[in-house]
């Protein structure tokens, strides 16, 4: 659609033309059959209107006619279903190698964090021509990430990760809305997505003051909570080794197998007794209320980077810190026995 057409926003992503094509086809089919049905209705009403002295007679059905108006709509409906399903799956499956950005909305603002540590509030900077995967979780109530120009809309739920992806095709800035009523100031929960040329985006990154990468923040939190006293690579570990864990299957004590993705790691941190890893005891304490959603995301990003044993240097367990040597969470983590960070 043209940028000046008032009813439709600009098509600024790779999926926007595909979404519009399906939408306009649905409108065309609806208008065609609406005009056809009402035209026939009016025509037959005028042609076969009641006349004085005439009595209506029973008209038997026509099998070919009934098959026609049954089969044709069926074919059109199935075609729309296949078209819509393919588009849905395309919009829900981020391409491999997509740039990851994390979002933690709350009443009433959008908070975004880039893997290198750059943080934004109510603004999101992305490069043009590069797929961007958004991993989001709400800090309070249900929100919805909606960028009309990208034709992207995804509900963001508390307690569950949801993902969306887009690839911007045109530089500029575009409106970001919360399209799910989330409280008194819902209408003020708006933001801007800035699409920049790759070189301009790199310049923006270098000119912004970061606080260290998300993984480095997660490493600091991992150490401060003394997670490394249990999740080690040596024989004295009381928790499973986390090196190379992410994206791999994990065997549980009940015989089931789960994939170690973002949702599993988050659950392991906040509800450690939900899934017990085979060979370990359910002795890890919960960190519910002690680590916020941004901290959980940092831990997940750090675990993703654990590729070799150097990332999990064993600590001295001959004299583990006692109650007076650190925070209570750190003491509890020494007794961890599940696949938890």
């Amino acid at each position: 659609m043209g940028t000046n057409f008032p009813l439709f926003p600009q098509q600024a992503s790779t999926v926007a033309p595909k979404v519009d094509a399906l939408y306009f086809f649905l409108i065309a089919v609806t208008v065609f059959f609406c005009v056809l049905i009402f035209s026939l209705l009016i025509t037959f009403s005028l042609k076969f209107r009641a006349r004085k002295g005439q009595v209506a007679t029973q008209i038997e059905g026509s099998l070919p006619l009934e098959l026609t108006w049954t089969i044709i709509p069926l074919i059109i409906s199935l075609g729309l279903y296949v078209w819509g399903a393919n588009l849905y799956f395309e919009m829900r499956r981020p391409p491999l190698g997509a740039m990851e950005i994390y979002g933690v909305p709350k009443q009433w603002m959008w908070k975004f964090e880039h893997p290198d540590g750059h943080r934004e509030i109510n603004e999101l900077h992305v490069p043009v021509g590069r797929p961007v995967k958004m991993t989001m979780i709400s800090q309070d109530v249900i929100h919805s990430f909606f960028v009309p120009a990208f034709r992207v809309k995804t509900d963001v739920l508390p307690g569950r990760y949801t993902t969306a992806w887009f690839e911007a095709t045109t530089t500029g800035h575009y409106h970001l809305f919360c399209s799910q009523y989330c409280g008194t100031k819902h209408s003020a929960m708006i933001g801007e997505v800035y699409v920049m040329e790759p070189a301009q985006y790199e310049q923006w990154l270098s000119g912004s003051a970061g606080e260290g990468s998300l993984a480095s923040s997660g490493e600091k939190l991992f150490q401060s909570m003394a997670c490394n006293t249990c999740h080690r690579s040596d024989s004295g570990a009381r928790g499973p080794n986390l090196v190379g864990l992410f994206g791999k299957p994990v065997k549980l004590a009940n015989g089931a197998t789960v994939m170690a993705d973002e949702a599993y790691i988050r659950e392991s941190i906040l509800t450690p007794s939900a899934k017990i890893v085979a060979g370990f005891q359910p002795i890890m304490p919960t960190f519910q209320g002690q680590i916020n959603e941004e901290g959980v995301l940092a831990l997940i990003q750090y675990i993703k980077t654990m590729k070799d044993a150097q990332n999990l240097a064993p600590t001295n367990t001959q004299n583990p810190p006692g109650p007076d040597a650190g925070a209570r969470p750190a003491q509890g983590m020494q007794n961890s026995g599940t696949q938890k960070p």
Side-chain angles (χ1 to χ4, degrees), residues 11 36 49 55 117 151 164 178 181 210 232 257 261 281 287 294 324 339-340:
Q11 294 177 344
L36 176 63
R49 67 187 184 277
V55 179
R151 309 299 192 269
C178 174
Y181 181 73
R232 298 158 47 187
T257 300
D261 55 9
Q281 297 299 315
F287 284 81
E294 293 172 81
D324 298 329
Q339 184 95 12
K340 325 296 179 191

Side-chain angles (χ1 to χ4, degrees), residues 293-312:
E293 293 294 350
E294 293 172 81
V296 173
L297 284 171
L299 285 171
I300 292 173
Q301 188 66 19
Y302 173 55
I303 291 173
K304 286 182 179 181
T305 65
M306 291 184 176
K307 302 299 183 183
D308 54 63
Q310 293 179 354
N311 288 321
L312 271 180

Side-chain angles (χ1 to χ4, degrees), residues 27-101:
I27 291 179
V29 170
T30 303
V31 170
F32 172 80
F33 281 102
C34 182
V35 171
L36 176 63
I37 291 171
F38 276 92
S39 298
L40 292 175
L41 180 63
I42 294 172
T43 299
F44 292 151
S45 296
L46 294 175
K47 185 175 181 179
F48 299 105
R49 67 187 184 277
R51 293 183 175 87
K52 188 176 181 180
Q54 287 185 334
V55 179
T57 58
Q58 181 67 32
I59 300 176
E60 297 296 334
S62 170
L63 181 60
L65 183 60
E66 292 179 1
L67 289 175
T68 300
W69 69 43
T70 300
I71 294 175
I72 291 178
L74 176 62
I75 293 174
I76 295 175
S77 299
L78 290 176
L80 287 171
Y81 170 78
V82 173
W83 188 355
N86 286 333
L87 182 57
Y88 173 83
F89 288 125
E90 179 182 348
M91 296 176 67
R92 291 295 171 181
R93 293 174 177 172
L96 294 177
M99 182 177 73
E100 289 190 88
I101 296 178

Side-chain angles (χ1 to χ4, degrees), residues 143-165:
H143 301 284
S144 191
F145 179 84
F146 179 40
V147 184
F150 298 164
R151 309 299 192 269
V152 171
K153 178 185 178 298
T154 300
D155 287 346
V156 186
L157 311 175
R160 182 191 305 177
Y161 289 117
T162 55
T163 61
W165 80 274

